Amino acid sequence: MAVKGFAKFVAKRVLTIFLVIVIALYVTIFIANMGGVVDEIVKSTIKMEVAMRFRGPEWQRYDPEEREKLMLQEYELELARRGLNQPFLIRSVIYLWNALTLDLGRAEYLTSDTGSRYVRNIILERLPTTVMLFTTATVLNFLINMAVGLYLSRHHGSKLDKFFIGMAPTSVIPGWFYGIFLILIFASQLHILPYGGLVDVEIVKTRDPFLYAMDVLKHMILPLSSWIISAFFLGCYSNRTFFLIFSTEDYVEAARAKGVPPRQIETKYILRPSLPPIITGFALGLINSWSGAIITERVFNWPGLGTVTYAAINLFDSAVLIGVTVIYAYLLGATVLILDILYGLIDPRIKVQYGR
Amino acid sequence: MSEDEELLEVENLRKWFELRKGLFSSPLYVKAVDGVSFKLKKGEAISLVGESGSGKTTLGKTILRLYEPTGGTIKIKGRDITHLKSNELMWYRRETALIEQDPYGALPSFFSIHRILEEPLIIHKFGNAEERRKRVREVLEEVRLTPIEDFAPKYPHMLSGGQLQRVAIARALTLRPELVVADEPVSMLDASVRIEILNLLRELQEKRKISFIYITHDLTTTKYFSEKLFIMYAGKIVEIGDMLKVVHNPLHPYTEALLKAIPDPDPRNREILRDVPPGEPPNLVNPPSGCRFHPRCPYKMDICQKEEPPVFEPENGRFVLCWLHAKK
Amino acid sequence: MTDTILQSRNLKLYYATRKGVVKAVNNVSFDLQKGESLALVGESGCGKSSLAKAIIRLLPRNIATYTGEVLLEGQDIMKLSDTQFRRQIRWKRISMVFQGAMNSLNPVLKIGYQVAEPLLIHEELDKKEAKKRAVEALRIVGIHESFVERYPFELSGGMKQRTVIAMALVTNPDILILDEPTSALDVITQANIMNLLKKLKKEMQLSYIFITHDIGLSSELADKVAVMYAGEIQEVADADTFYAKPAHPYSQKLMASVPTLRTEKKPEFIPGAPPSLVNPPSGCKFHPRCPSAFDRCSKENPPVFDLGSGHLVKCWWYAK
Amino acid sequence: MENAAAEYSIKGILKQLLTYKSGVFGISLLVLLILISVYTMITIPYSTAIELWRGGENVWIENPRNAQPTWIRYLGKNLPETIKRDSTQAGRVGTIKVLTPIPERNMKLLHISFSFDYEYDDFPSEINIFFTSKYNTSAPLLRIYWIKPSGTKINLMTYIPRSQEERLSLSINPTVSNRLYAYTVNVLGGEPQVPLLVEQAMFAMEDETMNSTLTATPMKGKYELIIEGTLYGEDSDVDAKLIVYGKVYGLAGTDHLRRDLTVALLWGTPIALSFGLTASLTISLLQLLIATISGYYGGKVDSAIQRLTEGYMILPFLPFLILIATFYRLDIWILLLVIIVLSVFGGGVKSTRALVMQIKEYPYIEAAKAYGASSKRIILLYIIPKILPPIVPGLIGSVPGYVFLEAALSLLGLGDPYLPSWGKIIEDSYAGGALYKGHYYWVLEPASMLILTALAFSFLGFALDKIVNPKLREV
């Protein structure tokens, strides 16, 4: 494929997706501000700060009324300095720009593990934990469901196949819900796996990286299993059905007539042409996993974005909540962009359209 | 002279479809119908023959104003309907009807046969329920779907292809139209049923004095049906003439090729190679310059590539779009 | 002078559906000579495509019965295992051009590869050699070398059809099954493809099984005609005999229903509808629509009568 | 004349559904849930339910905290039920109240005796006495004794009610605790290893098992609580109510606020059904309409809607929902509205539009145009009846998703704070550490209800899918 054509294609997609992110962020700000929440919080913080300044002994000799007046002046000045006296339209643009540049401001209550109060630090510190757990879950799910799906499509009509068809409806129950049961069995009852969290305090004290890694893995078992169990039956069933429907295509029949061996039929004639929907499915799974993380992390107390979100909800730390939404918008945008690029690489139509 | 009255007059009709355009590129058009003119008399049956992609279906549907023409005019009984809006077209919808190719898809599966036939009557506010019922019975009888009591309450999936096509024909007739366009009405039916349906259409056309446009890719079926033949290629009608005259003495090289390509059942066929032009019909986004048939034409001349041929009338009542027949 | 290359004996192919067992191919027997082309004619749903699939063993999942003999130069290929059949028969001996040629090409693989693929599989050629042969096969069907690197969606309908034919020929098979190879094409393109098939047959000594619903078109290729109705072959005759004087009432009706351009005869239609293959009529399957049916026709399925010189017909009218 | 085709009539679909095991399963579950809903709405009116649920301690004071469901007794130990004795109902079993006036001294002597048989394998969870006192000048003076089946009589404390209504919580009363400690030392002849809790000491066997909370076992037999007192003034009176809280309660047990879980479990059913159904019905139908308009009219309307759906794909749905729910503290029905707004341009629009694009090209639509059917008529009478059947399974199948969404939001503390929903119970149990403390029933009960609901709709959706998509039947 011509590099130039592809670059053009990518640039076009980047532009489109960026535009959507801008809109999403603007809506976020709009929602957050329509209740006046953001403004109110900022204003009350300023008021507090100003009041603190006026509490010093040097102010005691002023007449209370006069002091009040001076305080109000100072407060108004501070508002103007931060652009808060401007109409919402202008303020929203300032907020938008801040959000886009990940200048997410200071948290009101939460701090990062390193003690930073900047929302960006708080979020970026937790992001890798979330990404690690849920990307692993999505990839594992994808691989398991593909493999079992292929196996079932080969053994179409067998008892196992019928079992999967029967069990598929159970997958409406989400991963976090299975998580509760897994904790009940493996933590509460059998005491062989931890209730949740990322790593044991005892292990952290040993400062042994290998033990640390093993302990993290141990903590990942239950959350991962909960997601795999949840997606298992439906995932395998729909892959199987998908392969079966694709294998009735005329060109698959033609390939069979040509004497193409079964394995090659699967790879070249069923999997290869059906890659676009498969990749879409994977990307949607990834996107779902980012969102689903919030609840699963709450159940497993997994210290990622979801747990931060939960804490922010309880403490009403709006700056952090907005920050989380911003990060999510970027994450989803990036995923969709990668998806588009992959499409361009595998679909000959796009390849030809932009390549020649 | 009422027999010779012009019913339909089509003048330089064009229908271009816009292709999906990019944000910054100029739009591209598929020129499906590109400058077609003809007249149709009251009660006259013509066949419009062309290969797939020649624009014959688009022409038929544009005449019925299912598409808004890009250019040219359509007049019915002298009245210009080219750009009328849909609410001003209701009378025209009553006077015209369409019979489609696919009998399995042409009827809504969730309505009974009675309801299907009643729909046009309801839409055009025809009489009360009893009168509508009477009309439905009438048309069912005309297409010989009897006993009516058996067929009226049935649903389309209970009928065979031939029966479905009869229902479609009946529906076209419920409003007693003056002009019917039948778009390949038998091409999806089995050979043994085709003749039956064609005979029925012919019979009804004659009985009701309907002006009829029979669209087909199959020249052989036209012979039993219509007096006149219109041959279409790449968005243009390239030849018009009386059925038998065209078949026995084609004027346009494309008509000639079409005729040569048709195999009649004859065991000697296997010994001969058919003398047909190579290639396939052109892309209608960028049709060839000059005569659109020139890249495939065995009689190609210089002028054919450069200039589009006008309509020539080498014999009385025969029209052809080919430089070979330019009056020297 | 001619040798028999393919013989089918009592071939049966039934499918199981929710409505019941579909007897798509019922006791079909025929012979195919080397270099001969057999036209298999019948209306839609008569089982002719199923017969083709039964021969090349492309069976759907809901198969109920699959029995009989298919002898390829005397060897019963029904007895081969699936793997043996795939390695020894498919494309090496028997190739097929499918009905939906437009959809018979994998949309994401290049034309060149798809034509060369049978060589890579069956003759284990290296890629370069295989490609050379593919280019040659494409040239024979009239497609320029430059299309080797193209994808199917960049080709017109006629070109796809030619590609599919090239793909079928690339391994030099003995028998080519053509399942309605031109049904989606225009008449002129169809005539071009027919010309190509006629030439190929002469040059490469191919045997064809040509499946079509169009009796006019069948005459383009047929040395011998077999008429199929309700899963059974009703009549077999050499082309000259058949087109001059078809023996079976169904064949006669079918011939009479064909509109022709160059003769003055009026076509007739066959009253009634083709029978269901789940519950076919008793006796002769055609008797409910047959104008000359008599008592026996509704009771007993007629055997095959030989009218001499290989003209076979399955009709009580010819019982002595 | 029938309007709907036979193949799509409700009766026809139902008939077909019953030929599938999954269909029968789904329908029976659904019928069960509907019956529960109807029963609940009739027996516990909405306002009562809300009152009960918000009521807190005062409404539920006579219930034990964190009690397991009663039927748990059949699976293991014979756990105690709550025992109540009320002196206002003197004369009933085990309840005696005698008031003897001493007129010359303007005094009354009070004797209340509550007795009961205790045959359980475990100790009670808590013991309270509720006093209702009437007096003018000086408060009554009460002495409380405890007599065990062995005959041991323990003076628990001397008690002076300070107000008219008072609760004496024996379990946490230091005086009682001290007296019982002394008693324990007396029985053991030394200090116990782990001092017993009040309710344990009051019911324990008088042997070495009293040495620790772990070994103590209840003594079976007849217990008696005696309240003796002196009342001053003519109108003075004292009534007492003894509640020995058990460890099991009702069909579903209680939560940390003593609330009867059956109320929430029952009311959770109509809430979940209406929430899930309304969400999926509204969203599906709106998506259907949007998709049909987009697909049928095409052009600019179409591309605008298309861009919007692509944008929606990138919108972080759940974070957005959380943001809104946090900032605006929504009740469940407003939340539903927000969910609908955040979903109307979701993925369903794209797939339904693809379907519309297909159907739009069907010859019967073209034919309808040719005989003059208006666009409105075509959309409502010709297109929607054709796309409705294929989208119904998805509609039914998506109900559990919304039910779980509500539960998930509750789990994050964003649910309706007052409505007794299943998600709310799970949130309470989670916050109350149910899994650590072994209150499994607290999680398992709402979880089972959620699962039943999910499976009902899911199985029904799958069965319907097979009926309206014959292609699925073959593969």
Side-chain angles (χ1 to χ4, degrees):
Chain A
M1 179 185 339
V3 176
K4 201 178 143 198
F6 192 61
K8 193 176 145 195
F9 165 75
V10 171
K12 221 167 150 181
R13 292 309 299 159
V14 169
L15 205 75
T16 323
I17 287 169
F18 184 72
L19 208 71
V20 178
I21 291 177
V22 169
I23 295 169
L25 294 191
Y26 194 81
V27 174
T28 309
I29 286 157
F30 199 78
I31 292 170
N33 232 328
M34 273 318 278
V37 177
V38 176
D39 285 348
E40 277 320 304
I41 287 166
V42 174
K43 277 182 190 164
S44 69
T45 316
I46 294 171
K47 213 171 219 163
M48 275 287 281
E49 282 171 6
V50 173
M52 288 290 276
R53 252 180 271 159
F54 279 80
R55 201 168 287 167
E58 69 274 24
W59 295 98
Q60 294 305 327
R61 50 203 163 80
Y62 283 85
D63 175 55
E65 236 168 72
E66 185 155 351
R67 200 172 58 188
E68 194 72 6
K69 222 173 112 190
L70 279 168
M71 236 164 85
L72 209 68
Q73 259 176 23
E74 180 73 17
Y75 172 65
E76 295 291 339
L77 218 71
E78 190 68 25
L79 286 190
R81 204 175 63 74
R82 301 208 193 177
L84 274 166
N85 56 347
Q86 278 162 338
F88 174 67
L89 219 61
I90 295 172
R91 266 181 294 135
S92 66
V93 173
I94 297 172
Y95 290 147
L96 176 65
W97 177 252
N98 291 345
L100 279 173
T101 52
L102 286 188
D103 177 6
L104 302 168
R106 285 162 70 92
E108 284 138 52
Y109 307 101
L110 289 168
T111 56
S112 78
D113 289 349
T114 52
S116 169
R117 297 208 68 154
Y118 283 102
V119 173
R120 179 177 24 200
N121 294 346
I122 296 174
I123 290 176
L124 290 183
E125 189 183 82
R126 298 299 185 91
L127 186 62
T129 359
T130 296
V131 169
M132 173 175 74
L133 177 62
F134 293 96
T135 308
T136 315
T138 313
V139 170
L140 276 179
N141 263 338
F142 178 74
L143 294 178
I144 293 173
N145 296 346
M146 282 291 271
V148 178
L150 262 180
Y151 179 86
L152 291 177
S153 76
R154 257 179 245 148
H155 299 262
H156 164 265
S158 64
K159 277 204 172 115
L160 192 71
D161 186 37
K162 294 213 167 94
F163 176 70
F164 270 78
I165 297 174
M167 290 297 282
T170 59
S171 289
V172 284
I173 298 165
W176 61 266
F177 202 74
Y178 281 107
I180 293 176
F181 290 89
L182 290 182
I183 292 174
L184 206 153
I185 296 168
F186 293 98
S188 304
Q189 281 289 330
L190 302 175
H191 300 290
I192 49 175
L193 287 168
Y195 280 90
L198 175 69
V199 66
D200 267 346
V201 186
E202 299 302 315
I203 301 287
V204 177
K205 281 183 192 152
T206 63
R207 291 169 182 271
D208 180 337
F210 176 73
L211 279 182
Y212 187 93
M214 291 316 285
D215 198 52
V216 169
L217 279 183
K218 193 172 151 193
H219 280 78
M220 279 170 79
I221 293 176
L222 285 188
L224 281 182
S225 312
S226 69
W227 275 54
I228 290 169
I229 293 171
S230 164
F232 186 59
F233 289 107
L234 185 64
C236 299
Y237 164 80
S238 47
N239 274 338
R240 151 218 181 264
T241 308
F242 180 78
F243 292 140
L244 284 176
I245 288 174
F246 255 85
S247 66
T248 57
E249 291 284 340
D250 287 346
Y251 56 78
V252 178
E253 183 137 284
R256 237 175 244 136
K258 266 158 87 173
V260 179
R263 296 282 155 163
Q264 276 193 45
I265 287 192
E266 267 170 18
T267 52
K268 281 200 182 107
Y269 286 83
I270 299 177
L271 281 179
R272 180 70 182 75
S274 58
L275 262 186
I278 288 176
I279 289 180
T280 308
F282 179 74
L284 287 179
L286 214 53
I287 285 174
N288 271 334
S289 80
W290 306 133
S291 293
I294 297 176
I295 301 150
T296 308
E297 286 187 8
R298 154 85 176 110
V299 170
F300 285 101
N301 208 7
W302 182 261
L305 276 185
T307 309
V308 169
T309 312
Y310 180 62
I313 294 169
N314 282 334
L315 295 170
F316 206 76
D317 202 328
S318 42
V320 176
L321 277 180
I322 294 168
V324 167
T325 313
V326 171
I327 289 289
Y328 267 110
Y330 268 112
L331 263 183
L332 302 197
T335 315
V336 170
L337 180 65
I338 292 169
L339 176 72
D340 279 341
I341 293 174
L342 276 178
Y343 258 40
L345 286 174
I346 56 166
D347 190 336
R349 277 163 196 276
I350 299 177
K351 210 150 80 171
V352 169
Q353 190 189 341
Y354 285 89
R356 293 213 172 105
Chain B
M1 278 302 283
S2 71
E3 278 293 293
D4 259 8
E5 206 181 310
E6 305 285 0
L7 179 78
L8 178 73
E9 219 181 319
V10 172
E11 195 57 53
N12 195 24
L13 189 66
R14 275 177 295 138
K15 177 63 199 171
W16 294 3
F17 293 103
E18 198 176 312
L19 279 184
R20 240 191 86 174
K21 57 174 178 190
L23 211 53
F24 306 108
S25 46
S26 55
L28 296 172
Y29 293 99
V30 178
K31 295 160 186 159
V33 174
D34 201 13
V36 163
S37 308
F38 68 89
K39 288 172 185 165
L40 188 65
K41 291 193 180 74
K42 200 166 156 42
E44 188 179 31
I46 61 123
S47 294
L48 180 61
V49 180
E51 298 179 88
S52 61
S54 62
K56 58 187 192 300
T57 298
T58 309
L59 176 57
K61 291 182 178 169
T62 310
I63 290 169
L64 290 181
R65 273 303 314 277
L66 291 170
Y67 303 135
E68 170 132 16
T70 312
T73 52
I74 307 168
K75 280 185 193 162
I76 186 142
K77 292 179 181 165
R79 206 169 149 184
D80 189 340
I81 56 126
T82 319
H83 297 291
L84 288 186
K85 293 200 183 68
S86 63
N87 54 350
E88 300 165 323
L89 269 174
M90 284 308 271
W91 64 272
Y92 185 64
R93 300 264 173 253
R94 206 161 46 235
E95 309 246 308
T96 57
L98 172 70
I99 298 168
E100 307 219 45
Q101 176 178 17
D102 172 13
Y104 301 92
L107 309 174
S109 56
F110 41 85
F111 282 159
S112 67
I113 303 303
H114 176 90
R115 179 65 196 267
I116 288 169
L117 296 178
E118 202 186 6
E119 271 290 298
L121 299 170
I122 295 173
I123 288 165
H124 290 276
K125 305 190 173 66
F126 176 93
N128 57 25
E130 195 40 53
E131 283 166 296
R132 289 201 296 267
R133 190 180 300 272
K134 220 181 109 208
R135 174 62 66 84
V136 169
R137 289 183 62 93
E138 241 174 76
V139 288
L140 276 174
E141 221 154 87
E142 275 176 8
V143 298
R144 290 192 216 101
L145 279 177
T146 47
I148 291 158
E149 293 71 27
D150 283 1
F151 282 100
K154 279 192 175 162
Y155 286 89
H157 66 104
M158 304 170 180
L159 305 187
S160 72
Q163 289 171 329
L164 290 175
Q165 199 58 298
R166 283 162 193 271
V167 176
I169 293 169
R171 181 176 60 187
L173 297 176
T174 45
L175 292 166
R176 301 291 177 225
E178 291 201 56
L179 171 67
V180 171
V181 175
D183 184 10
E184 310 238 18
V186 296
S187 68
M188 288 185 73
L189 302 175
D190 269 321
S192 57
V193 198
R194 278 182 194 176
I195 301 306
E196 196 182 351
I197 298 288
L198 282 177
N199 286 347
L200 178 70
L201 279 173
R202 181 63 167 163
E203 184 192 314
L204 292 169
Q205 184 263 327
E206 279 173 350
K207 185 175 140 201
R208 295 245 161 233
K209 300 260 180 302
I210 299 168
S211 303
F212 212 96
I213 300 178
Y214 170 58
I215 299 174
T216 183
H217 68 275
D218 184 1
L219 250 174
T220 53
T221 58
T222 64
K223 199 171 130 191
Y224 310 97
F225 194 79
S226 52
E227 302 96 37
K228 259 190 184 167
L229 213 48
F230 289 33
I231 308 285
M232 209 167 166
Y233 183 76
K236 288 182 176 295
I237 293 182
V238 294
E239 180 164 0
I240 295 179
D242 284 352
M243 176 75 215
L244 289 172
K245 284 185 181 164
V246 174
V247 169
H248 291 116
N249 177 27
L251 295 181
H252 198 284
Y254 174 66
T255 317
E256 189 188 324
L258 266 185
L259 287 163
K260 276 185 190 162
I262 295 164
D264 277 346
D266 185 337
R268 283 166 298 178
N269 286 345
R270 67 182 196 272
E271 311 293 344
I272 53 158
L273 290 183
R274 290 190 184 275
D275 178 20
V276 287
E280 286 175 63
N283 174 353
L284 290 178
V285 179
N286 279 312
S289 62
C291 170
R292 293 185 179 180
F293 190 60
H294 87 254
R296 301 169 75 188
C297 184
Y299 313 111
K300 180 175 62 180
M301 302 180 290
D302 270 357
I303 192 169
C304 300
Q305 300 183 40
K306 288 172 196 147
E307 245 176 280
E308 230 183 291
V311 182
F312 298 109
E313 193 178 357
E315 290 171 40
N316 196 19
R318 293 196 66 179
F319 304 92
V320 65
L321 244 69
C322 176
W323 285 115
L324 286 174
H325 301 279
K327 290 188 182 88
K328 276 113 202 173
Chain C
M1 202 182 105
T2 50
D3 319 316
T4 305
I5 183 154
L6 188 80
Q7 284 175 298
S8 155
R9 290 290 170 265
N10 300 323
L11 193 58
K12 275 189 194 175
L13 179 62
Y14 296 175
Y15 310 125
T17 66
R18 267 172 102 86
K19 285 180 186 151
V21 175
V22 176
K23 302 182 184 82
V25 178
N26 207 356
N27 274 326
V28 165
S29 307
F30 65 86
D31 292 353
L32 180 69
Q33 312 299 325
K34 219 169 225 167
E36 181 186 50
S37 73
L38 170 73
L40 203 60
V41 186
E43 293 177 272
S44 60
C46 72
K48 53 192 193 299
S49 286
S50 299
L51 176 56
K53 286 180 180 165
I55 294 167
I56 201 162
R57 208 192 279 185
L58 270 183
L59 307 172
R61 283 189 277 268
N62 56 343
I63 199 84
T65 308
Y66 179 48
T67 56
E69 286 174 18
V70 179
L71 306 171
L72 183 66
E73 290 187 322
Q75 180 201 11
D76 187 356
I77 58 173
M78 290 284 282
K79 293 210 171 82
L80 296 176
S81 75
D82 281 353
T83 317
Q84 283 171 329
F85 192 90
R86 174 166 64 76
R87 294 215 179 117
Q88 296 170 20
I89 306 299
R90 286 194 185 149
W91 244 250
K92 269 196 145 163
R93 310 294 308 273
I94 307 177
S95 289
M96 183 160 173
V97 174
F98 286 87
Q99 185 164 13
M102 308 295 161
N103 304 322
S104 303
L105 293 168
N106 186 333
V108 297
L109 297 179
K110 287 175 182 164
I111 298 300
Y113 174 79
Q114 297 198 55
V115 175
E117 194 177 36
L119 297 170
L120 299 171
I121 296 162
H122 294 294
E123 301 186 9
E124 288 167 2
L125 295 184
D126 62 47
K127 276 193 179 163
K128 220 172 136 192
E129 188 63 23
K131 192 175 167 186
K132 229 169 94 188
R133 291 261 300 270
V135 168
E136 174 61 16
L138 284 168
R139 194 192 54 75
I140 291 173
V141 300
I143 290 180
H144 190 260
E145 196 176 329
S146 62
F147 280 87
V148 163
E149 296 293 319
R150 300 266 175 112
Y151 290 97
F153 72 91
E154 298 176 84
L155 270 61
S156 71
M159 284 169 84
K160 276 187 211 164
Q161 192 63 56
R162 286 165 190 271
T163 307
V164 171
I165 293 171
M167 196 164 83
L169 293 174
V170 74
T171 45
N172 297 317
D174 303 312
I175 301 169
L176 192 57
I177 301 175
L178 304 156
D179 186 2
E180 305 252 13
T182 60
S183 63
L185 301 175
D186 294 317
V187 258
I188 297 179
T189 317
Q190 168 176 297
N192 274 314
I193 297 282
M194 284 298 158
N195 282 346
L196 170 69
L197 289 170
K198 285 179 203 172
K199 272 191 249 168
L200 288 173
K201 187 189 160 209
K202 252 192 200 131
E203 287 163 15
M204 302 176 76
Q205 272 297 302
L206 283 164
S207 308
Y208 285 152
I209 296 177
F210 175 40
I211 296 168
T212 179
H213 66 276
D214 184 343
I215 265 194
L217 189 64
S218 67
S219 70
E220 290 276 296
L221 272 180
D223 296 318
K224 199 154 81 181
V225 180
V227 175
M228 226 176 149
Y229 186 80
E232 294 170 351
I233 289 186
Q234 305 293 346
E235 177 169 6
V236 183
D238 63 71
D240 294 325
T241 315
F242 182 83
Y243 288 105
K245 205 170 172 288
H248 197 284
Y250 175 64
S251 312
Q252 291 162 359
K253 280 272 165 193
L254 206 56
M255 285 287 281
S257 76
V258 178
T260 57
L261 201 61
R262 296 175 187 91
T263 62
E264 288 302 316
K265 84 175 169 75
K266 267 227 167 229
E268 300 158 28
F269 62 88
I270 312 175
S276 110
L277 293 175
V278 178
N279 290 309
S282 62
C284 170
K285 307 280 186 287
F286 187 61
H287 87 260
R289 302 171 79 187
C290 183
S292 28
F294 49 97
D295 249 18
R296 195 172 190 180
C297 301
S298 61
K299 285 174 191 138
E300 284 171 73
N301 199 4
V304 175
F305 297 101
D306 193 341
L307 305 183
S309 63
H311 189 171
L312 308 174
V313 62
K314 198 166 174 318
C315 175
W316 282 119
W317 205 248
Y318 299 93
K320 273 152 202 141
Chain D
M1 195 85 352
E2 289 169 89
N3 266 326
E7 50 182 322
Y8 289 144
S9 74
I10 292 180
K11 211 172 145 192
I13 285 181
L14 207 67
K15 224 182 216 164
Q16 283 193 66
L17 258 183
L18 293 176
T19 64
Y20 291 99
K21 270 186 228 147
S22 50
V24 175
F25 184 67
I27 287 185
S28 348
L29 276 184
L30 194 61
V31 168
L32 178 75
L33 290 169
I34 290 171
L35 287 180
I36 291 177
S37 300
V38 171
Y39 170 80
T40 307
M41 291 193 288
I42 292 171
T43 52
I44 318 171
Y46 183 71
S47 53
T48 317
I50 297 291
E51 220 175 276
L52 284 174
W53 198 244
R54 286 188 215 177
E57 286 261 310
N58 296 333
V59 183
W60 299 107
I61 192 68
E62 298 188 1
N63 283 357
R65 268 180 216 279
N66 290 123
Q68 301 190 53
T70 309
W71 45 263
I72 213 105
R73 287 182 14 204
Y74 302 111
L75 304 178
K77 281 204 287 191
N78 184 14
L79 293 172
E81 289 186 76
T82 302
I83 298 164
K84 293 179 196 169
R85 290 292 182 264
D86 189 344
S87 65
T88 57
Q89 293 168 343
R92 292 206 175 180
V93 180
T95 313
I96 302 167
K97 179 183 172 187
V98 186
L99 208 54
T100 326
I102 310 174
E104 57 271 28
R105 292 175 63 183
N106 198 17
M107 267 168 55
K108 291 177 188 170
L109 289 180
L110 174 75
H111 177 91
I112 296 174
S113 157
F114 296 136
S115 60
F116 54 87
D117 283 315
Y118 196 83
E119 299 292 342
Y120 302 107
D121 297 337
D122 201 352
F123 295 105
S125 59
E126 190 183 350
I127 302 165
N128 285 339
I129 307 174
F130 298 87
F131 290 101
T132 313
S133 322
K134 260 176 32 184
Y135 55 92
N136 292 332
T137 43
S138 24
L141 181 72
L142 308 171
R143 284 174 301 280
I144 306 169
Y145 300 97
W146 181 244
I147 302 171
K148 292 177 92 164
S150 58
T152 314
K153 183 171 181 181
I154 307 160
N155 180 357
L156 289 179
M157 72 182 296
T158 306
Y159 180 64
I160 302 166
R162 303 276 171 216
S163 60
Q164 301 238 323
E165 300 278 337
E166 222 167 55
R167 166 164 71 172
L168 170 62
S169 298
L170 292 183
S171 307
I172 51 170
N173 190 291
T175 320
V176 176
S177 190
N178 286 337
R179 296 270 169 90
L180 287 170
Y181 185 75
Y183 152 73
T184 310
V185 170
N186 189 29
V187 171
L188 289 171
E191 307 254 316
Q193 219 171 16
V194 186
L196 300 190
L197 301 172
V198 168
E199 56 273 10
Q200 284 179 324
M202 284 170 72
F203 283 85
M205 297 267 267
E206 295 171 312
D207 52 22
E208 66 283 359
T209 54
M210 282 183 88
N211 196 19
S212 152
T213 50
L214 296 176
T215 52
T217 41
M219 182 190 291
K220 293 180 184 174
K222 191 175 173 180
Y223 287 87
E224 193 177 1
L225 182 93
I226 294 173
I227 301 168
E228 284 179 349
T230 323
L231 315 182
Y232 308 96
E234 209 154 292
D235 311 329
S236 59
D237 194 0
V238 167
D239 271 304
K241 188 155 79 175
L242 168 72
I243 299 182
V244 179
Y245 293 91
K247 282 192 169 160
V248 294
Y249 181 86
L251 260 179
T254 60
D255 66 6
H256 60 312
L257 298 175
R258 305 175 190 274
R259 291 182 292 199
D260 181 355
L261 286 177
T262 44
V263 174
L265 287 175
L266 286 176
W267 257 101
T269 320
I271 291 173
L273 290 188
S274 51
F275 187 89
L277 271 171
T278 316
S280 87
L281 210 71
T282 320
I283 291 169
S284 302
L285 291 183
L286 283 177
Q287 286 188 343
L288 171 71
L289 203 68
I290 291 169
T292 312
I293 288 169
S294 173
Y296 182 75
Y297 286 105
K300 278 176 191 149
V301 181
D302 184 37
S303 47
I305 292 174
Q306 285 311 296
R307 296 297 87 74
L308 217 55
T309 50
E310 280 156 25
Y312 257 65
M313 192 180 160
I314 300 182
L315 276 196
F317 173 76
L318 200 60
F320 244 63
L321 194 57
I322 287 172
L323 196 77
I324 296 170
T326 315
F327 287 167
Y328 299 83
R329 284 288 149 192
L330 309 169
D331 78 38
I332 195 166
W333 307 116
I334 308 266
L335 191 72
L336 184 66
L337 199 73
V338 173
I339 290 174
I340 291 170
V341 170
L342 284 181
S343 312
V344 276
F345 286 99
V349 172
K350 255 199 150 66
S351 52
T352 312
R353 177 181 167 274
L355 216 58
V356 174
M357 296 298 276
Q358 252 177 47
I359 291 168
K360 190 182 146 189
E361 299 302 321
Y362 275 32
Y364 81 91
I365 302 288
E366 188 113 65
K369 283 185 202 159
Y371 56 67
S374 62
S375 294
K376 206 176 100 192
R377 191 178 187 94
I378 288 178
I379 287 179
L380 293 177
L381 237 55
Y382 289 73
I383 295 183
I384 290 188
K386 194 87 184 169
I387 22 181
L388 217 46
I391 70 160
V392 164
L395 188 158
I396 298 290
S398 70
V399 171
Y402 296 107
V403 176
F404 277 110
L405 182 62
E406 193 274 331
L409 288 173
S410 290
L411 197 64
L412 294 176
L414 293 172
D416 191 310
Y418 299 120
L419 222 51
S421 74
W422 298 329
K424 191 82 184 72
I425 309 181
I426 295 184
E427 142 78 351
D428 286 343
S429 70
Y430 231 77
L435 290 183
Y436 301 90
K437 294 179 187 162
H439 303 316
Y440 301 143
Y441 69 95
W442 200 0
V443 186
L444 288 177
E445 285 168 359
S448 322
M449 292 305 283
L450 271 167
I451 290 175
L452 278 188
T453 311
L455 293 187
F457 285 102
S458 183
F459 274 93
L460 205 58
F462 264 76
L464 278 173
D465 211 11
K466 274 187 205 151
I467 292 169
V468 299
N469 285 324
K471 209 171 178 186
L472 281 177
R473 236 177 288 167
E474 282 150 30
V475 293

